[in-house]
Amino acid sequence: MSVLPLVFTSGWASGINAYAVVFLLGLMGATGISDEVPPALERPDVLIVAGVLFLCEAVADKIPYVDTAWDAVHTVIRPIAGAVVAALLAGQNGSLPELAAGAVGGTTALVSHLVKAGLRMGVNTSPEPASNIVVSLAEDVGVSGVIVLALFHPVAASVVAAVLLALGTVTVFFVMSRIRRYWQRWRDRRRQRRSGRGTVSGWG
């Protein structure tokens, strides 16, 4: 059976929460629930590190503006994680060259990450913090559910991931005005901080 649906799905999920993907896959493999998981992801040290980072992301991703800073840092990390996980899955299955799998997983993770980051910028224009928590929880549940589904029904999971990616992309275009307001607000805050430091140093 082709591993491409699982590779695509893991790439999409990695673009949203790479640590959750690594932790869930490793946990499913280590507990014997699935034999599709590469041994490298089942190692205790990998599970511990991924679990701790997943908890860190679970907190940071629910705080307005902190989530965007976290996303910015992970613009490189998530696509790399998506490519590595995809290559490991391909190596485990043998039906798709690892380099091709890495390209698919990394590219899908990058697109998914950009969609997530764009949507969160739009959410950050909301005056109340509850929307960040709701969206973040929905992402956590969505990633977890789709990854578990992918191990048993990879084609169905890849269809779900593709639909969610398409819907997310369309939504980003609809909230572009809010994203632009977010960036304007962010630039204004930086300008105010710089002018404030200049005033303090001038008085000094």
Side-chain angles (χ1 to χ4, degrees), residues 26-48:
L27 188 63
M28 298 284 280
T31 54
I33 296 176
S34 174
D35 57 1
E36 297 292 328
V37 180
L41 299 180
E42 300 175 6
R43 292 169 40 184
D45 56 335
V46 172
L47 285 171
I48 292 172

Side-chain angles (χ1 to χ4, degrees), residues 126-159:
S126 176
E128 36 72 35
S131 55
N132 290 76
I133 297 174
V134 171
V135 171
S136 180
L137 288 173
E139 290 172 351
D140 293 342
V141 172
V143 166
S144 301
V146 172
I147 283 296
V148 172
L149 178 64
L151 290 174
F152 302 100
H153 303 285
V155 175
S158 66
V159 171

Side-chain angles (χ1 to χ4, degrees), residues 19 27 38 59-60 81 84 94 96 98 106 116 127 137 141:
Y19 304 126
L27 188 63
V59 175
V84 171
L96 182 69
E98 293 180 30
K116 168 192 165 71
L137 288 173
V141 172

